Amino acid sequence: SLLTPTIAQALPKLPLPSLGETLATYLRCMKHLLTEEQFNKTQNAVKQFGAPGGVGELLQRKLEERRGKTANWVYDYWLNDMYLNNRVALPVNSSPAMVFPQQNFKAPIDSLRFAAHLISGVLEYKTLLDARALPVDYGRGQLSGTPLCMEQYYRLFTSYRLPGPDRDTLVAQESSVMPEPEHIIVACKNQFFVLDVVINFRRLNERDLLSQLEKITKMAGCEDELVPPIGLLTSDGRTEWAEARRVLMRDSTNRDNLDMIERCLCLVCLDEASGTEQSDTTRAAMMLHGGGPSMNGGNRWYDKPMQFIVGADGCCGVVCEHSPFEGIVLVQCTEYLLKYMIGSPSKLVRAASVSELPVPRRLRWKCSPEIQKLLTSSADKLHRLVKNLDMNVHKFSDYGKQFIKQQKMSPDAYIQVTLQLAYYRCHGRPVSTYESASTRRFQQGRVDNIRSATPEALAFVRAMTDGKEKMELLRCAIDAQTKYTVLAITGMAIDNHLLGLREVAREMKLEKPEIFKDKAYVIGNHFILSTSQVPTSVEMFCCYGPVVPNGYGVCYNPQSDHIIFSVSSFHESQQTCSAEFVKCLVQGLQDMMDLCNSFNCGHKPAQQMENPAAEMKMQKETKDKTSHRTSDSTKC
């Protein structure tokens, strides 16, 4: 089922919700997060904004006009707001990572073999992309079976985030009729090498790739002059990196180097052993920031969408610049690569080799004292970021999505309600929560927000704390979560709509409407819980950092009989602690299982109640082998 241009064009345009519906939903989403006084002010601001003949109606008409003229009315607004206007550093704050299973490299050559095999997989995948031969993705979970927009895939290896003083630019290269030889950049010991993967119109085979990687490691190891770790500059805040890049560009050698990096397919980062004990938690942190300037933090170029990390100690994965595509696209690509590496034995045969391989080229930088000073500053900030990250990866093994489905509940909605319970138990209040929901059912669709902190979720978590009727409230909470999910994936949620109204007002140079100056809007967009379901069908998991200083980043991967949670927060916040959150989360999952089991026991015939533990064990043993497939993803 290939996505022909006709299917691509056949995807509907993103709908525009009615003004009245969005404002009513906004009030409902915010009421229980505000004091009575705050809510009264918000109600007045919303009433004024939505009044007949008022500013809201004017802005709504402008959005309707925009929808008529563009493929996706919110795309540019969303991209700028979510990513390109954001000035924070990319590592931890913005770029998510996929963590591969721990590799067992017995000798240095093993990690290079792994890297050569991985590069071969990337080139196979790139061939599929170039031929537009990827099979279409279809929606799963809620409203499954709908074809999805595939545009994000075609930016995996052809885009670049260019830093700017006020706003970055997402540069998407269009392939020309005669493309230059394709190359990747290999980072090794904080130095960058150009590895041509196509020479004389022929793609390098795996043995040749291995031979080139061996040359690169030798060159990196015997350099007389110490090359400064220029990659550190890309780990800085976006405005600082834009300024540093401007300084670098004064020299023609540096300009050529930047051009080679910006046009490459991807980066392969050959990391040195970190010296830390390997666990899911330490590997996740290493993927997100490289361990800082004293480890592999300079062995990166954060503006590139795909950076494959191959550590000498078997710590491997991929870190991605998030502006060109969503997590599910990263999952599909990395699953293809891991399956390729498992399914096709390493092809280190001598067949059809390019006999005279040119030596890979080292990028040499001209470094002024000004650049040295900027490097010192970038290194210091990255060091602080590394120390600040509080990462905790937990594999919850008591049950997985199979048990949840047996309760006739959506696994995603169930986990979201559990997250609300965990936060409430940790902090005693509900907070604004973000769960990404894909809008790829529409042309150029990206995501909208499922506001998981529903009034129904709050009623349930309070009942769990003070012992009222719980099961009914749990079902209500899951039902509310599921309904909002459907709202979001069908383009009818409120966040993108409110963003569009705000941006149209700005473009028209109107005074900012009161609704966007109101405290509720600030509270509602300060996402203390930033969450995402990223399910996989091969063994790996996704992680990312919090989006606000006093928040949590929670990525979860529900499997048939277990759930992997990657929880992040910042040590500098007095209010957060990842280990404490995980403790509350585990307790909540166990309590909800007990609740479901006791409810089921109360509603079963006597002969079925004799041994619920044995029954659960039997259900677990006969679990459907195919249920590891990602059939519950609201990301699609």
Side-chain angles (χ1 to χ4, degrees):
S1 57
L2 302 187
L3 186 62
T4 60
T6 48
I7 294 183
Q9 286 152 8
L11 286 177
K13 280 188 174 188
L14 182 72
L16 181 64
S18 79
L19 184 63
E21 280 173 350
T22 288
L23 295 180
T25 306
Y26 175 58
L27 287 174
R28 181 171 156 72
C29 286
M30 294 310 301
K31 185 175 183 181
H32 57 292
L33 302 179
L34 303 171
T35 65
E36 198 176 336
E37 189 187 347
Q38 282 171 342
F39 184 68
N40 288 338
K41 278 187 185 165
T42 301
Q43 251 183 326
N44 290 334
V46 167
K47 195 175 174 184
Q48 180 192 345
F49 184 74
V55 69
E57 288 190 354
L58 168 68
L59 300 176
Q60 178 77 356
R61 277 198 304 280
K62 290 289 178 191
L63 275 186
E64 279 160 5
E65 286 169 24
R66 182 182 170 89
R67 184 174 183 267
K69 292 180 204 156
T70 56
N72 186 309
W73 60 266
V74 81
Y75 181 84
D76 289 333
Y77 292 156
W78 176 90
L79 185 64
N80 288 333
D81 184 67
M82 183 69 93
Y83 296 113
L84 305 183
N85 290 338
N86 212 326
R87 303 288 82 204
V88 294
L90 296 185
V92 177
N93 301 306
S94 177
S95 295
M98 264 301 172
V99 185
F100 293 172
Q102 174 69 26
Q103 301 299 312
N104 183 20
F105 299 144
K106 292 189 164 61
I109 191 75
D110 292 344
S111 63
L112 298 187
R113 280 200 183 103
F114 182 91
H117 204 175
L118 182 67
I119 293 166
S120 278
V122 168
L123 299 180
E124 284 286 324
Y125 196 72
K126 180 74 167 57
T127 305
L128 283 179
L129 289 172
D130 290 345
R132 296 251 156 182
L134 273 190
V136 186
D137 286 349
Y138 285 89
R140 306 164 190 165
Q142 304 300 329
L143 309 186
S144 58
T146 323
L148 306 177
C149 177
M150 299 294 284
E151 281 309 301
Q152 295 177 35
Y153 285 96
Y154 301 103
R155 294 194 283 264
L156 276 163
F157 301 107
T158 58
S159 57
Y160 181 78
R161 181 162 165 178
L162 191 66
D166 305 309
R167 174 190 288 172
D168 292 357
T169 306
L170 178 57
V171 180
Q173 300 153 16
E174 297 300 325
S175 58
S176 54
V177 184
M178 279 294 288
E180 289 181 49
E182 289 168 302
H183 66 279
I184 63 172
I185 295 289
V186 177
C188 185
K189 294 186 186 295
N190 298 335
Q191 298 162 74
F192 299 102
F193 298 84
V194 179
L195 170 56
D196 288 316
V197 291
V198 177
I199 297 173
N200 299 333
F201 303 103
R202 178 183 281 165
R203 207 173 89 189
L204 263 59
N205 66 31
E206 213 168 298
R207 179 176 283 282
D208 290 332
L209 289 167
L210 177 60
S211 152
Q212 295 295 70
L213 290 172
E214 286 184 281
K215 287 178 200 166
I216 284 170
T217 53
K218 282 201 181 82
M219 289 165 74
C222 66
E223 173 66 15
D224 299 334
E225 51 177 294
L226 199 63
V227 178
I230 293 293
L232 283 175
L233 296 173
T234 71
S235 75
D236 210 329
R238 302 308 289 168
T239 301
E240 293 87 340
W241 164 220
E243 174 56 23
R245 187 179 178 281
R246 194 182 63 76
V247 176
L248 276 173
M249 292 280 283
R250 290 177 193 154
D251 181 89
S252 61
T253 305
N254 294 344
R255 278 202 299 276
D256 292 344
N257 291 350
L258 288 166
D259 182 58
M260 287 309 284
I261 295 174
E262 288 164 17
R263 283 190 302 103
C264 75
L265 285 173
C266 62
L267 256 81
V268 172
C269 308
L270 303 176
D271 276 10
E272 298 188 79
S274 66
T276 53
E277 197 180 323
Q278 299 288 303
S279 69
D280 284 351
T281 297
T282 55
R283 292 206 321 281
M286 210 49 66
M287 285 305 115
L288 288 174
H289 54 51
S294 60
M295 286 193 204
N296 297 296
N299 214 43
R300 302 282 183 275
W301 199 269
Y302 280 101
D303 298 354
K304 281 306 289 185
M306 299 291 276
Q307 297 192 88
F308 295 98
I309 318 296
V310 180
D313 52 8
C315 178
C316 301
V318 53
V319 60
C320 81
E321 199 291 291
H322 209 340
S323 66
F325 47 80
E326 302 314 324
I328 196 69
V329 171
L330 176 66
V331 169
Q332 299 284 63
C333 173
T334 45
E335 288 196 346
Y336 175 93
L337 297 175
L338 289 182
K339 284 171 184 170
Y340 171 88
M341 291 172 76
I342 295 160
S344 70
S346 198
K347 298 190 188 85
L348 292 170
V349 290
R350 253 288 166 222
S353 174
V354 179
S355 52
E356 283 302 303
L357 288 173
V359 177
R361 185 157 69 83
R362 183 203 306 270
L363 297 182
R364 298 178 185 277
W365 302 88
K366 295 286 170 63
C367 264
S368 62
E370 191 179 356
I371 292 289
Q372 293 285 6
K373 198 175 162 191
L374 292 167
L375 273 169
T376 305
S377 169
S378 297
D380 181 51
K381 279 182 257 184
L382 181 60
H383 176 69
R384 290 208 300 267
L385 186 62
V386 168
K387 277 179 69 179
N388 197 9
L389 179 65
D390 178 9
M391 191 79 216
N392 192 310
V393 179
H394 180 81
K395 183 177 177 179
F396 177 79
S397 300
D398 289 13
Y399 63 92
K401 64 185 178 186
Q402 189 194 5
F403 169 78
I404 303 168
K405 284 178 172 178
Q406 285 166 354
Q407 314 312 308
K408 305 279 189 289
M409 294 172 186
S410 148
D412 185 67
Y414 181 101
I415 294 168
Q416 282 292 330
V417 171
T418 316
L419 292 173
Q420 292 298 312
L421 176 60
Y423 190 90
Y424 191 84
R425 282 179 166 172
C426 257
H427 302 280
R429 66 191 178 105
V431 285
S432 195
T433 304
Y434 187 100
E435 182 194 2
S436 51
S438 174
T439 54
R440 283 175 58 211
R441 285 169 171 75
F442 306 102
Q443 290 174 41
Q444 290 182 18
R446 291 295 299 263
V447 296
D448 206 337
N449 174 20
I450 303 167
R451 289 190 164 265
S452 304
T454 61
E456 292 85 353
L458 179 58
F460 167 69
V461 303
R462 280 183 174 151
M464 285 298 276
T465 309
D466 65 20
K468 288 183 201 151
E469 172 49 54
K470 298 167 187 170
M471 195 64 193
E472 179 103 358
L473 291 169
L474 172 59
R475 290 205 183 278
C476 284
I478 283 178
D479 191 41
Q481 175 69 19
T482 306
K483 280 180 179 157
Y484 205 109
T485 298
V486 172
L487 214 59
I489 62 179
T490 55
M492 302 304 282
I494 65 170
D495 282 61
N496 283 351
H497 190 192
L498 289 169
L499 170 68
L501 294 164
R502 187 190 83 195
E503 289 305 291
V504 169
R506 195 180 53 78
E507 280 175 3
M508 292 174 73
K509 298 190 167 44
L510 300 176
E511 189 193 337
K512 189 189 263 193
E514 194 57 43
I515 186 174
F516 301 121
K517 293 194 280 191
D518 178 51
K519 185 139 192 209
Y521 191 72
V522 177
I523 291 169
N525 286 285
H526 185 80
F527 294 110
I528 287 174
L529 265 183
S530 174
T531 73
S532 192
Q533 175 182 222
V534 184
T536 63
S537 65
V538 297
E539 197 194 331
M540 60 177 176
F541 64 89
C542 183
C543 58
Y544 51 79
V547 298
V548 294
N550 61 336
Y552 293 100
V554 184
C555 192
Y556 52 97
N557 181 348
Q559 296 294 316
S560 182
D561 59 357
H562 67 273
I563 309 165
I564 300 167
F565 290 94
S566 304
V567 176
S568 62
S569 61
F570 290 122
H571 287 299
E572 280 174 12
S573 166
Q574 299 297 303
Q575 299 153 40
T576 57
C577 170
S578 296
E580 202 52 44
F581 188 87
V582 165
K583 205 167 123 189
C584 291
L585 186 54
V586 169
Q587 188 62 56
L589 286 161
Q590 288 167 342
D591 290 350
M592 282 168 69
M593 177 178 73
D594 292 345
L595 175 64
C596 291
N597 284 339
S598 63
F599 179 81
N600 293 341
C601 287
H603 286 72
K604 274 188 178 181
Q607 66 267 30
Q608 287 185 354
M609 281 172 52
E610 284 166 12
N611 193 344
E615 188 180 305
M616 264 195 76
K617 186 168 182 282
M618 191 174 75
Q619 285 168 348
K620 200 170 179 182
E621 284 167 359
T622 58
K623 71 176 184 285
D624 176 10
K625 297 288 185 238
T626 62
S627 63
H628 276 269
R629 291 187 191 136
T630 59
S631 58
D632 295 302
S633 173
T634 57
K635 301 278 298 172
C636 299

